[in-house]
Amino acid sequence: MQRPPLTVDRNSPVPLYFQLAEQLEAAIVAGTLTPGSRLENEIELADRCGLSRPTVRQAIQHLVDKGLLVRKRGVGTQVVQAQVKRPIELTSLYDDLAAAQRSPRTKVLELATVPAGDEVAKDLGVSLGTPVVRLRRLRLTDSEPLALLTNHLPLDVVELTAERLERHGLYEILRAAGVNLRIANQTIGARAATTAEAMLLDERRGVPLLTMTRTAFDDKGRAIEYATHVYRASRYSFTLTLVER
């Protein structure tokens, strides 16, 4: 159990719980409290800092709400993995995680040929009912579930196997097949997790999830991929740079 130095200033206008929460967050960001490490319990923290248990409990809950700590029955309060911050670019999640040395791992949940429904047919530019590939994967990083990825592709784009998809990212496989993605339309949103999604992502039913829908086109203007992904909001965020016109 790691014990970073903690002090509070009772003369400060900053609430005591927030002072404690800020110091614990700084220790997590600096790596003093490492992912997976167990935090002191409320009684120990209260005694060490000279605070009441409700104040300590409020500080811990503040960090749980920010996704920095997690409470586990029979284990206590643990530091979670650092949140993945992904730039909004035409890259794959696998590529981004690998570049950040976050040990991406993939579990293929489905690889099948299905008739294109309304939305898929419209975005891929094919007729309703046209056979397309449907691919569903669970993406993990540092052994923790991060995202559920559903992709639809035209049948003739690339040959896919579960074995290849567990070793390589989809965009890496497309590049190896000579498919050059150039542009994409993308929408980012949020919604509550379904029961099935919560079970796969190790979350509670109804917890907020980030969503991303993307249609990607190659350098010939052909729609190559229609993707609908959901991400754990506690572990993942998108970043972008805004420029004044």
Side-chain angles (χ1 to χ4, degrees):
M1 184 183 300
Q2 295 160 315
R3 294 165 56 96
L6 300 169
T7 58
V8 294
D9 181 1
R10 296 183 180 276
N11 296 318
S12 170
V14 178
L16 295 175
Y17 89 89
F18 193 73
Q19 292 185 46
L20 177 58
E22 279 195 319
Q23 291 177 72
L24 290 172
E25 180 174 353
I28 293 170
V29 172
T32 305
L33 287 172
T34 56
S37 63
R38 192 158 57 89
L39 198 66
E40 298 163 78
N41 62 39
E42 291 177 5
I43 296 175
E44 291 171 331
L45 277 172
D47 287 345
R48 186 152 74 93
C49 299
L51 298 172
S52 67
R53 287 185 64 186
T55 297
V56 171
R57 188 177 303 120
Q58 189 177 6
I60 290 174
Q61 186 60 49
H62 179 75
L63 297 179
V64 169
D65 293 340
K66 292 186 71 171
L68 296 172
L69 296 176
V70 63
R71 289 189 173 102
K72 294 186 178 181
R73 188 182 302 276
V75 176
T77 303
Q78 285 183 298
V79 179
V80 302
Q81 299 287 344
Q83 190 182 61
V84 175
K85 296 182 182 295
R86 181 182 181 187
I88 300 180
E89 300 173 348
L90 187 46
T91 58
S92 73
L93 177 58
Y94 187 97
D95 289 343
D96 292 339
L97 293 173
Q101 297 183 327
R102 294 298 298 271
S103 304
R105 187 163 63 85
T106 302
K107 180 179 180 181
V108 177
L109 305 175
E110 179 187 12
L111 178 56
T113 300
V114 300
D118 289 338
E119 194 67 29
V120 172
K122 175 185 174 184
D123 280 75
L124 288 183
V126 299
S127 301
L128 184 66
T130 298
V132 296
V133 174
R134 182 168 66 201
L135 166 63
R136 294 183 65 244
R137 294 163 293 164
L138 177 64
R139 179 61 44 75
L140 304 97
T141 175
D142 301 318
S143 299
E144 289 282 337
L146 177 66
L148 283 171
L149 318 175
T150 302
N151 300 73
H152 290 82
L153 298 87
L155 277 181
D156 60 347
V157 169
V158 67
E159 183 178 349
L160 297 173
T161 66
E163 291 75 19
R164 288 187 74 192
L165 288 162
E166 288 180 350
R167 294 197 306 267
H168 306 281
L170 177 60
Y171 281 18
E172 181 185 356
I173 294 172
L174 289 171
R175 289 192 297 268
V179 178
N180 301 306
L181 297 178
R182 283 293 176 266
I183 193 170
N185 298 322
Q186 181 165 292
T187 302
I188 297 169
R191 62 170 173 78
T194 66
T195 300
E197 290 168 343
M199 289 179 62
L200 287 166
L201 292 173
D202 194 23
E203 289 281 9
R204 302 185 314 277
R205 181 179 180 273
V207 73
L209 298 178
L210 287 172
T211 66
M212 187 273 284
T213 302
R214 172 187 285 183
T215 305
F217 302 83
D218 67 8
D219 50 7
K220 300 179 181 63
R222 182 189 183 188
I224 297 297
E225 168 206 35
Y226 173 67
T228 54
H229 298 173
V230 294
Y231 307 85
R232 296 175 69 180
S234 61
R235 297 282 316 284
Y236 189 89
S237 65
F238 292 99
T239 63
L240 65 158
T241 300
L242 303 178
V243 180
E244 182 183 12
R245 290 186 175 180

